[in-house]
Amino acid sequence: MELPIFAQQFVAHLQENGRKDSTVAMYKHDLLKFFEWLSKYKTGIDGEIWGDLTREDYEQYFTYLKDKNSSEANLKRVASHLNGLIKYYRLSNRIGTLKGTETKQRALTASDFITGEDAATLLASIPKKKGLTETQLEIHPYLRYRNLSMVTLMITYGLTIDEVVSINMEDINFAQNTLRIANKKNSRSIDLNSKDKRLIYKYVMSIPELNRPKDYSDDPIFIAFHATKLVYWYDYNIGKPKRISLKSIQRMIEKEVKRAGLEHNVRPTHFRNSCILKKVKEGWSNDSLISYFGLTSRHALYRYKKYLNGVE
């Protein structure tokens, strides 16, 4: 099934307005799943039928997703993408703003963070060969700097996994040690320390020139790898390297956490939570925290401060 024409026009609008390829791909994925469901829930999915949908119809879709045990994060993302389509066709006044879930964020506990010791153990383990199978040993030289760079950005700078995936070559300035982070809500710049800048540069330069992302371009900096051919993917249809996927990073982190011998089931959110908590402990102002981590409001900080007050 393909997206209906009117939904394709909205996706084209996103591309024309500079949304990153990974962001547009996620919109297309979520909208396609919605219209696949809608084709069964309602007869037909043309623009007229879609335009006549009520808020209750959308709520029915979220009920369907909840029955499939969709996560809170997924529900919120789907709601955001559907809201974008609704707003584009000026139906917000009638439909309202979809939320996907009314569940409030729970209080943070120690299990939501990675300790400094575990973080150091993980970072030290990634470039080493310990615990690798014979096949993994063959692949490891190609991926150690890439994987270490991605995990470093999440642990040390608190980037989300989506932000890591979305980084392009034009976003990093190796001369000034800066990295621009852009998402659908805002854009910010962070300073990289010299060691981490050199690590990322080492990764980029380790890629054979034929497949290497071009300087100052919208080529993705973190590229998918073909494990069988032992080469970084290059998409000749679009003339640029193939961007690594979210699932690939998630699987990589799971494997590296296990190889490092960490007992805690560490995920990317643990890295960001710990980085935010560290800055709160250091006494950063609300405005500085909001700007540095790309948060939308100070409300997002309350959980961290409440947790910190509870453990002190």
Side-chain angles (χ1 to χ4, degrees):
M1 176 180 178
E2 293 186 350
L3 280 176
I5 297 298
F6 62 88
Q8 292 182 30
Q9 291 172 344
F10 167 64
V11 170
H13 165 75
L14 295 176
Q15 293 172 319
E16 291 168 359
N17 280 271
R19 293 295 181 87
K20 293 195 173 183
D21 292 343
S22 58
T23 300
V24 174
M26 190 56 72
Y27 265 89
K28 289 173 67 175
H29 173 272
D30 287 341
L31 292 177
L32 184 58
K33 291 297 182 183
F34 170 71
F35 285 112
E36 286 177 348
W37 170 84
L38 186 61
S39 67
K40 300 174 183 177
Y41 175 67
K42 294 268 188 179
T43 302
I45 52 171
D46 61 28
E48 183 177 352
I49 290 176
W50 171 77
D52 288 338
L53 293 182
T54 65
R55 185 180 182 88
E56 287 69 30
D57 292 322
Y58 289 101
E59 297 295 348
Q60 188 65 35
Y61 180 57
F62 288 114
T63 298
Y64 162 78
L65 293 179
K66 291 172 185 176
D67 289 341
K68 291 174 65 68
N69 295 319
S70 188
S71 69
E72 297 292 318
N74 285 342
L75 291 169
K76 291 178 180 178
R77 187 194 68 238
V78 171
S80 175
H81 292 172
L82 287 174
N83 282 329
L85 179 66
I86 291 169
K87 183 177 180 181
Y88 179 74
Y89 283 104
R90 300 180 180 180
L91 298 173
S92 300
N93 288 339
R94 183 168 63 80
I95 302 297
T97 301
L98 303 175
K99 295 183 179 181
T101 175
E102 298 290 342
T103 303
K104 294 182 178 180
Q105 288 184 308
R106 62 171 177 78
L108 293 167
T109 67
S111 63
D112 292 305
F113 303 94
I114 182 173
T115 66
E117 181 180 357
D118 281 352
T121 298
L122 177 59
L123 291 173
S125 172
I126 292 174
K128 295 179 180 178
K129 299 179 180 180
K130 182 180 178 181
L132 294 174
T133 65
E134 187 174 335
T135 300
Q136 291 171 334
L137 281 170
E138 190 175 11
I139 299 172
H140 185 254
Y142 297 94
L143 300 183
R144 55 184 172 176
Y145 298 130
R146 185 201 69 176
N147 294 351
L148 183 57
S149 294
M150 293 189 293
V151 176
T152 295
L153 288 174
M154 288 185 273
I155 287 179
T156 307
Y157 303 94
L159 269 63
T160 68
I161 189 171
D162 299 85
E163 290 172 342
V164 170
V165 167
S166 300
I167 298 173
N168 292 333
M169 285 296 292
E170 62 190 358
D171 296 323
I172 191 165
N173 188 317
F174 289 113
Q176 297 183 7
N177 292 10
T178 58
L179 177 64
R180 185 177 70 94
I181 309 298
N183 56 42
K184 61 185 180 183
K185 294 182 179 178
N186 51 47
S187 176
R188 66 192 191 278
S189 179
I190 61 175
D191 295 323
L192 301 172
N193 66 50
S194 297
K195 179 183 176 182
D196 296 335
K197 184 277 297 279
R198 290 195 297 270
L199 170 64
I200 298 172
Y201 184 77
K202 191 172 185 177
Y203 149 65
V204 172
M205 297 308 296
S206 72
I207 303 170
E209 188 172 357
L210 183 63
N211 291 357
R212 186 183 304 160
K214 299 180 180 63
D215 292 341
Y216 314 113
S217 72
D218 63 353
D219 287 0
I221 192 168
F222 295 116
I223 308 171
F225 188 76
H226 197 306
T228 303
K229 297 182 179 179
L230 297 180
V231 294
Y232 279 99
W233 278 98
Y234 192 88
D235 190 336
Y236 289 96
N237 291 324
I238 59 176
K240 63 178 61 178
K242 182 178 179 181
R243 192 181 302 274
I244 191 171
S245 68
L246 291 172
K247 287 190 177 297
S248 293
I249 299 180
Q250 290 169 338
R251 285 196 297 266
M252 178 272 291
I253 292 173
E254 290 173 0
K255 292 177 181 178
E256 293 295 354
V257 166
K258 183 177 181 180
R259 189 163 72 91
L262 303 185
E263 295 182 1
H264 191 33
N265 183 23
V266 178
R267 297 184 299 277
T269 51
H270 291 87
F271 303 151
R272 181 170 170 86
N273 284 342
S274 299
C275 190
I276 294 175
L277 186 67
K278 179 181 178 182
K279 302 303 183 186
V280 173
K281 286 182 178 179
E282 292 174 358
W284 283 34
S285 68
N286 288 339
D287 288 342
S288 296
L289 290 165
I290 290 170
S291 174
Y292 187 85
F293 291 104
L295 304 173
T296 55
S297 73
R298 65 180 60 196
H299 294 290
L301 299 172
Y302 291 161
R303 290 200 306 160
Y304 300 95
K305 294 186 177 183
K306 185 176 181 180
Y307 172 80
L308 196 57
N309 291 333
V311 298
E312 291 183 340

Short mmCIF file of all heavy atoms in Angstrom, two decimals, residues 2-49:
data_model
loop_
_atom_site.label_atom_id
_atom_site.label_comp_id
_atom_site.label_asym_id
_atom_site.label_seq_id
_atom_site.Cartn_x
_atom_site.Cartn_y
_atom_site.Cartn_z
N GLU A 2 0.45 2.26 -0.77
CA GLU A 2 1.17 3.53 -0.80
C GLU A 2 0.35 4.59 -0.07
O GLU A 2 -0.87 4.45 0.11
CB GLU A 2 1.41 3.98 -2.24
CG GLU A 2 2.37 3.09 -3.01
CD GLU A 2 2.69 3.66 -4.38
OE1 GLU A 2 2.02 4.65 -4.77
OE2 GLU A 2 3.58 3.13 -5.04
N LEU A 3 1.01 5.66 0.31
CA LEU A 3 0.30 6.76 0.94
C LEU A 3 -0.69 7.38 -0.05
O LEU A 3 -0.39 7.49 -1.24
CB LEU A 3 1.28 7.84 1.38
CG LEU A 3 2.04 7.63 2.69
CD1 LEU A 3 3.04 8.76 2.89
CD2 LEU A 3 1.09 7.55 3.87
N PRO A 4 -1.86 7.79 0.43
CA PRO A 4 -2.80 8.50 -0.45
C PRO A 4 -2.13 9.77 -1.00
O PRO A 4 -1.22 10.31 -0.38
CB PRO A 4 -3.96 8.84 0.49
CG PRO A 4 -3.85 7.87 1.61
CD PRO A 4 -2.40 7.59 1.79
N ILE A 5 -2.60 10.23 -2.14
CA ILE A 5 -2.01 11.39 -2.80
C ILE A 5 -1.95 12.60 -1.86
O ILE A 5 -0.94 13.30 -1.79
CB ILE A 5 -2.79 11.75 -4.08
CG1 ILE A 5 -2.70 10.59 -5.10
CG2 ILE A 5 -2.24 13.04 -4.68
CD1 ILE A 5 -1.29 10.30 -5.55
N PHE A 6 -3.03 12.84 -1.12
CA PHE A 6 -3.06 14.03 -0.27
C PHE A 6 -2.03 13.92 0.85
O PHE A 6 -1.45 14.94 1.28
CB PHE A 6 -4.46 14.26 0.31
CG PHE A 6 -4.98 13.16 1.19
CD1 PHE A 6 -4.71 13.16 2.55
CD2 PHE A 6 -5.74 12.12 0.66
CE1 PHE A 6 -5.19 12.15 3.37
CE2 PHE A 6 -6.22 11.11 1.47
CZ PHE A 6 -5.94 11.12 2.83
N ALA A 7 -1.75 12.70 1.32
CA ALA A 7 -0.72 12.51 2.34
C ALA A 7 0.67 12.65 1.73
O ALA A 7 1.60 13.18 2.36
CB ALA A 7 -0.87 11.14 3.00
N GLN A 8 0.83 12.21 0.48
CA GLN A 8 2.10 12.37 -0.22
C GLN A 8 2.43 13.85 -0.41
O GLN A 8 3.60 14.27 -0.34
CB GLN A 8 2.05 11.67 -1.58
CG GLN A 8 1.99 10.16 -1.50
CD GLN A 8 1.99 9.51 -2.87
OE1 GLN A 8 2.56 10.03 -3.83
NE2 GLN A 8 1.33 8.36 -2.99
N GLN A 9 1.40 14.65 -0.65
CA GLN A 9 1.61 16.09 -0.80
C GLN A 9 2.12 16.72 0.50
O GLN A 9 2.97 17.61 0.49
CB GLN A 9 0.30 16.75 -1.23
CG GLN A 9 -0.13 16.37 -2.64
CD GLN A 9 -1.52 16.87 -2.99
OE1 GLN A 9 -2.31 17.25 -2.11
NE2 GLN A 9 -1.84 16.87 -4.27
N PHE A 10 1.61 16.22 1.63
CA PHE A 10 2.08 16.70 2.93
C PHE A 10 3.53 16.30 3.14
O PHE A 10 4.35 17.12 3.61
CB PHE A 10 1.20 16.12 4.04
CG PHE A 10 1.75 16.30 5.42
CD1 PHE A 10 1.92 17.56 5.96
CD2 PHE A 10 2.10 15.19 6.19
CE1 PHE A 10 2.44 17.72 7.24
CE2 PHE A 10 2.61 15.34 7.46
CZ PHE A 10 2.78 16.61 7.99
N VAL A 11 3.89 15.07 2.79
CA VAL A 11 5.27 14.60 2.93
C VAL A 11 6.20 15.43 2.04
O VAL A 11 7.31 15.79 2.46
CB VAL A 11 5.37 13.10 2.57
CG1 VAL A 11 6.83 12.67 2.48
CG2 VAL A 11 4.63 12.27 3.61
N ALA A 12 5.76 15.74 0.83
CA ALA A 12 6.54 16.58 -0.07
C ALA A 12 6.76 17.96 0.54
O ALA A 12 7.84 18.56 0.42
CB ALA A 12 5.85 16.70 -1.43
N HIS A 13 5.73 18.46 1.22
CA HIS A 13 5.83 19.75 1.92
C HIS A 13 6.92 19.70 2.99
O HIS A 13 7.70 20.64 3.16
CB HIS A 13 4.47 20.09 2.55
CG HIS A 13 4.51 21.18 3.56
ND1 HIS A 13 4.65 22.51 3.23
CD2 HIS A 13 4.45 21.13 4.93
CE1 HIS A 13 4.66 23.23 4.34
NE2 HIS A 13 4.55 22.43 5.38
N LEU A 14 7.00 18.59 3.72
CA LEU A 14 8.03 18.43 4.75
C LEU A 14 9.42 18.46 4.13
O LEU A 14 10.34 19.11 4.65
CB LEU A 14 7.82 17.11 5.50
CG LEU A 14 6.55 16.95 6.32
CD1 LEU A 14 6.46 15.55 6.90
CD2 LEU A 14 6.49 17.98 7.45
N GLN A 15 9.57 17.76 3.00
CA GLN A 15 10.87 17.73 2.32
C GLN A 15 11.25 19.10 1.80
O GLN A 15 12.40 19.53 1.94
CB GLN A 15 10.81 16.72 1.17
CG GLN A 15 10.65 15.27 1.63
CD GLN A 15 10.41 14.31 0.50
OE1 GLN A 15 9.66 14.61 -0.43
NE2 GLN A 15 11.04 13.14 0.57
N GLU A 16 10.30 19.81 1.23
CA GLU A 16 10.57 21.14 0.69
C GLU A 16 10.95 22.14 1.78
O GLU A 16 11.64 23.12 1.51
CB GLU A 16 9.34 21.65 -0.06
CG GLU A 16 9.06 20.88 -1.34
CD GLU A 16 7.68 21.20 -1.92
OE1 GLU A 16 6.96 22.02 -1.29
OE2 GLU A 16 7.33 20.64 -2.97
N ASN A 17 10.50 21.87 3.00
CA ASN A 17 10.80 22.76 4.11
C ASN A 17 12.02 22.32 4.91
O ASN A 17 12.23 22.79 6.03
CB ASN A 17 9.58 22.87 5.04
CG ASN A 17 8.54 23.83 4.49
OD1 ASN A 17 8.57 25.03 4.76
ND2 ASN A 17 7.62 23.30 3.70
N GLY A 18 12.81 21.43 4.32
CA GLY A 18 14.11 21.11 4.89
C GLY A 18 14.15 20.06 5.98
O GLY A 18 15.16 19.93 6.65
N ARG A 19 13.03 19.34 6.16
CA ARG A 19 13.07 18.27 7.17
C ARG A 19 14.08 17.21 6.73
O ARG A 19 14.18 16.88 5.55
CB ARG A 19 11.69 17.63 7.34
CG ARG A 19 10.65 18.57 7.95
CD ARG A 19 11.01 18.94 9.38
NE ARG A 19 10.02 19.81 9.98
CZ ARG A 19 8.93 19.40 10.60
NH1 ARG A 19 8.69 18.10 10.70
NH2 ARG A 19 8.09 20.27 11.13
N LYS A 20 14.78 16.66 7.68
CA LYS A 20 15.82 15.68 7.36
C LYS A 20 15.19 14.38 6.86
O LYS A 20 14.04 14.06 7.17
CB LYS A 20 16.68 15.42 8.58
CG LYS A 20 17.51 16.64 8.96
CD LYS A 20 18.62 16.29 9.93
CE LYS A 20 19.53 17.49 10.15
NZ LYS A 20 20.67 17.17 11.03
N ASP A 21 15.98 13.64 6.07
CA ASP A 21 15.49 12.42 5.45
C ASP A 21 14.95 11.44 6.49
O ASP A 21 13.92 10.80 6.27
CB ASP A 21 16.61 11.74 4.65
CG ASP A 21 17.03 12.55 3.43
OD1 ASP A 21 16.25 13.43 3.03
OD2 ASP A 21 18.11 12.31 2.89
N SER A 22 15.65 11.32 7.62
CA SER A 22 15.22 10.37 8.65
C SER A 22 13.89 10.79 9.26
O SER A 22 13.05 9.95 9.58
CB SER A 22 16.28 10.26 9.75
OG SER A 22 16.54 11.52 10.34
N THR A 23 13.69 12.10 9.41
CA THR A 23 12.43 12.61 9.96
C THR A 23 11.29 12.34 9.00
O THR A 23 10.21 11.88 9.39
CB THR A 23 12.54 14.12 10.24
OG1 THR A 23 13.59 14.35 11.18
CG2 THR A 23 11.24 14.67 10.80
N VAL A 24 11.52 12.65 7.72
CA VAL A 24 10.49 12.43 6.69
C VAL A 24 10.15 10.95 6.61
O VAL A 24 8.98 10.58 6.49
CB VAL A 24 10.97 12.95 5.33
CG1 VAL A 24 9.97 12.58 4.23
CG2 VAL A 24 11.15 14.46 5.37
N ALA A 25 11.16 10.09 6.69
CA ALA A 25 10.93 8.64 6.63
C ALA A 25 10.05 8.17 7.78
O ALA A 25 9.18 7.31 7.60
CB ALA A 25 12.26 7.90 6.65
N MET A 26 10.25 8.75 8.97
CA MET A 26 9.44 8.35 10.12
C MET A 26 8.00 8.85 9.95
O MET A 26 7.05 8.14 10.31
CB MET A 26 10.04 8.91 11.41
CG MET A 26 9.41 8.36 12.69
SD MET A 26 9.48 6.55 12.78
CE MET A 26 11.22 6.31 13.09
N TYR A 27 7.82 10.05 9.40
CA TYR A 27 6.47 10.54 9.11
C TYR A 27 5.77 9.58 8.15
O TYR A 27 4.61 9.18 8.38
CB TYR A 27 6.55 11.93 8.46
CG TYR A 27 6.40 13.09 9.41
CD1 TYR A 27 7.52 13.64 10.04
CD2 TYR A 27 5.16 13.66 9.67
CE1 TYR A 27 7.39 14.71 10.91
CE2 TYR A 27 5.02 14.73 10.53
CZ TYR A 27 6.14 15.26 11.14
OH TYR A 27 6.00 16.31 12.01
N LYS A 28 6.46 9.22 7.07
CA LYS A 28 5.86 8.33 6.07
C LYS A 28 5.48 7.00 6.69
O LYS A 28 4.41 6.46 6.40
CB LYS A 28 6.85 8.13 4.91
CG LYS A 28 7.04 9.36 4.05
CD LYS A 28 8.15 9.18 3.03
CE LYS A 28 7.80 8.16 1.99
NZ LYS A 28 8.86 8.07 0.94
N HIS A 29 6.35 6.48 7.54
CA HIS A 29 6.09 5.19 8.19
C HIS A 29 4.83 5.26 9.05
O HIS A 29 3.93 4.41 8.95
CB HIS A 29 7.29 4.80 9.05
CG HIS A 29 7.06 3.59 9.90
ND1 HIS A 29 6.51 3.67 11.18
CD2 HIS A 29 7.27 2.27 9.68
CE1 HIS A 29 6.41 2.47 11.69
NE2 HIS A 29 6.86 1.60 10.81
N ASP A 30 4.74 6.29 9.90
CA ASP A 30 3.60 6.41 10.81
C ASP A 30 2.30 6.68 10.07
O ASP A 30 1.25 6.14 10.41
CB ASP A 30 3.86 7.51 11.84
CG ASP A 30 4.91 7.11 12.86
OD1 ASP A 30 5.15 5.90 13.01
OD2 ASP A 30 5.49 8.00 13.51
N LEU A 31 2.36 7.52 9.04
CA LEU A 31 1.16 7.83 8.27
C LEU A 31 0.69 6.61 7.49
O LEU A 31 -0.51 6.35 7.40
CB LEU A 31 1.43 9.00 7.32
CG LEU A 31 1.67 10.36 7.98
CD1 LEU A 31 1.99 11.41 6.91
CD2 LEU A 31 0.48 10.80 8.81
N LEU A 32 1.64 5.86 6.94
CA LEU A 32 1.27 4.66 6.19
C LEU A 32 0.59 3.65 7.09
O LEU A 32 -0.45 3.06 6.72
CB LEU A 32 2.51 4.04 5.55
CG LEU A 32 2.25 2.83 4.64
CD1 LEU A 32 1.31 3.18 3.50
CD2 LEU A 32 3.57 2.29 4.10
N LYS A 33 1.10 3.45 8.31
CA LYS A 33 0.48 2.52 9.25
C LYS A 33 -0.94 2.98 9.60
O LYS A 33 -1.86 2.16 9.73
CB LYS A 33 1.32 2.41 10.52
CG LYS A 33 2.66 1.72 10.33
CD LYS A 33 2.47 0.27 9.91
CE LYS A 33 3.79 -0.44 9.77
NZ LYS A 33 3.62 -1.84 9.28
N PHE A 34 -1.10 4.29 9.75
CA PHE A 34 -2.43 4.82 10.07
C PHE A 34 -3.41 4.54 8.93
O PHE A 34 -4.54 4.09 9.16
CB PHE A 34 -2.35 6.33 10.33
CG PHE A 34 -3.69 7.00 10.42
CD1 PHE A 34 -4.52 6.78 11.52
CD2 PHE A 34 -4.14 7.84 9.41
CE1 PHE A 34 -5.76 7.37 11.61
CE2 PHE A 34 -5.39 8.44 9.49
CZ PHE A 34 -6.20 8.22 10.60
N PHE A 35 -2.99 4.80 7.69
CA PHE A 35 -3.91 4.62 6.57
C PHE A 35 -4.15 3.13 6.26
O PHE A 35 -5.21 2.78 5.75
CB PHE A 35 -3.38 5.36 5.33
CG PHE A 35 -3.59 6.85 5.43
CD1 PHE A 35 -2.50 7.70 5.55
CD2 PHE A 35 -4.87 7.39 5.45
CE1 PHE A 35 -2.68 9.07 5.66
CE2 PHE A 35 -5.06 8.76 5.56
CZ PHE A 35 -3.96 9.60 5.67
N GLU A 36 -3.19 2.29 6.58
CA GLU A 36 -3.43 0.85 6.46
C GLU A 36 -4.53 0.42 7.43
O GLU A 36 -5.42 -0.37 7.08
CB GLU A 36 -2.14 0.08 6.75
CG GLU A 36 -1.12 0.16 5.62
CD GLU A 36 0.18 -0.56 5.98
OE1 GLU A 36 0.35 -0.91 7.17
OE2 GLU A 36 1.00 -0.76 5.08
N TRP A 37 -4.45 0.94 8.65
CA TRP A 37 -5.50 0.65 9.63
C TRP A 37 -6.83 1.25 9.19
O TRP A 37 -7.88 0.60 9.27
CB TRP A 37 -5.11 1.22 10.99
CG TRP A 37 -6.21 1.20 12.00
CD1 TRP A 37 -6.58 0.16 12.81
CD2 TRP A 37 -7.12 2.27 12.31
NE1 TRP A 37 -7.66 0.51 13.59
CE2 TRP A 37 -8.01 1.81 13.30
CE3 TRP A 37 -7.27 3.57 11.83
CZ2 TRP A 37 -9.02 2.60 13.83
CZ3 TRP A 37 -8.27 4.37 12.35
CH2 TRP A 37 -9.15 3.88 13.34
N LEU A 38 -6.77 2.47 8.67
CA LEU A 38 -7.99 3.17 8.28
C LEU A 38 -8.71 2.45 7.14
O LEU A 38 -9.94 2.43 7.08
CB LEU A 38 -7.66 4.61 7.86
CG LEU A 38 -8.85 5.53 7.55
CD1 LEU A 38 -9.75 5.68 8.79
CD2 LEU A 38 -8.36 6.89 7.08
N SER A 39 -7.94 1.84 6.24
CA SER A 39 -8.56 1.14 5.11
C SER A 39 -9.40 -0.04 5.58
O SER A 39 -10.32 -0.48 4.88
CB SER A 39 -7.48 0.66 4.14
OG SER A 39 -6.69 -0.34 4.73
N LYS A 40 -9.09 -0.54 6.77
CA LYS A 40 -9.88 -1.64 7.34
C LYS A 40 -10.99 -1.12 8.24
O LYS A 40 -12.07 -1.70 8.33
CB LYS A 40 -8.97 -2.59 8.12
CG LYS A 40 -7.87 -3.21 7.27
CD LYS A 40 -6.92 -4.02 8.12
CE LYS A 40 -5.78 -4.59 7.27
NZ LYS A 40 -4.79 -5.34 8.09
N TYR A 41 -10.70 -0.01 8.90
CA TYR A 41 -11.65 0.58 9.84
C TYR A 41 -12.78 1.30 9.11
O TYR A 41 -13.94 1.27 9.51
CB TYR A 41 -10.91 1.53 10.76
CG TYR A 41 -11.77 2.31 11.73
CD1 TYR A 41 -12.45 1.67 12.77
CD2 TYR A 41 -11.89 3.70 11.61
CE1 TYR A 41 -13.23 2.38 13.66
CE2 TYR A 41 -12.66 4.43 12.51
CZ TYR A 41 -13.33 3.76 13.53
OH TYR A 41 -14.10 4.48 14.41
N LYS A 42 -12.43 1.96 8.01
CA LYS A 42 -13.41 2.67 7.18
C LYS A 42 -13.31 2.14 5.75
O LYS A 42 -12.27 1.61 5.35
CB LYS A 42 -13.11 4.17 7.17
CG LYS A 42 -13.28 4.86 8.52
CD LYS A 42 -14.67 5.41 8.67
CE LYS A 42 -14.79 6.26 9.93
NZ LYS A 42 -16.14 6.83 10.07
N THR A 43 -14.34 2.31 4.98
CA THR A 43 -14.31 1.88 3.58
C THR A 43 -13.69 2.99 2.74
O THR A 43 -14.25 4.08 2.61
CB THR A 43 -15.72 1.58 3.05
OG1 THR A 43 -16.32 0.57 3.86
CG2 THR A 43 -15.65 1.11 1.61
N GLY A 44 -12.51 2.71 2.18
CA GLY A 44 -11.85 3.71 1.34
C GLY A 44 -11.05 4.69 2.15
O GLY A 44 -11.29 4.90 3.34
N ILE A 45 -10.07 5.32 1.52
CA ILE A 45 -9.21 6.27 2.23
C ILE A 45 -8.92 7.50 1.38
O ILE A 45 -7.85 8.09 1.45
CB ILE A 45 -7.89 5.61 2.64
CG1 ILE A 45 -7.22 4.95 1.42
CG2 ILE A 45 -8.06 4.61 3.75
CD1 ILE A 45 -5.81 4.47 1.69
N ASP A 46 -9.86 7.93 0.55
CA ASP A 46 -9.60 9.11 -0.25
C ASP A 46 -9.67 10.36 0.62
O ASP A 46 -10.03 10.32 1.80
CB ASP A 46 -10.57 9.20 -1.44
CG ASP A 46 -12.03 9.29 -1.00
OD1 ASP A 46 -12.29 9.80 0.10
OD2 ASP A 46 -12.89 8.82 -1.76
N GLY A 47 -9.30 11.48 0.02
CA GLY A 47 -9.23 12.73 0.78
C GLY A 47 -10.54 13.14 1.41
O GLY A 47 -10.58 13.66 2.53
N GLU A 48 -11.64 12.88 0.73
CA GLU A 48 -12.95 13.29 1.25
C GLU A 48 -13.30 12.50 2.50
O GLU A 48 -13.74 13.05 3.50
CB GLU A 48 -14.02 13.10 0.17
CG GLU A 48 -15.40 13.57 0.62
CD GLU A 48 -16.45 13.44 -0.49
OE1 GLU A 48 -16.06 13.13 -1.63
OE2 GLU A 48 -17.63 13.66 -0.19
N ILE A 49 -13.11 11.19 2.45
CA ILE A 49 -13.40 10.35 3.62
C ILE A 49 -12.49 10.70 4.77
O ILE A 49 -12.92 10.81 5.92
CB ILE A 49 -13.27 8.86 3.24
CG1 ILE A 49 -14.41 8.46 2.29
CG2 ILE A 49 -13.30 7.98 4.49
CD1 ILE A 49 -14.32 7.05 1.79
#
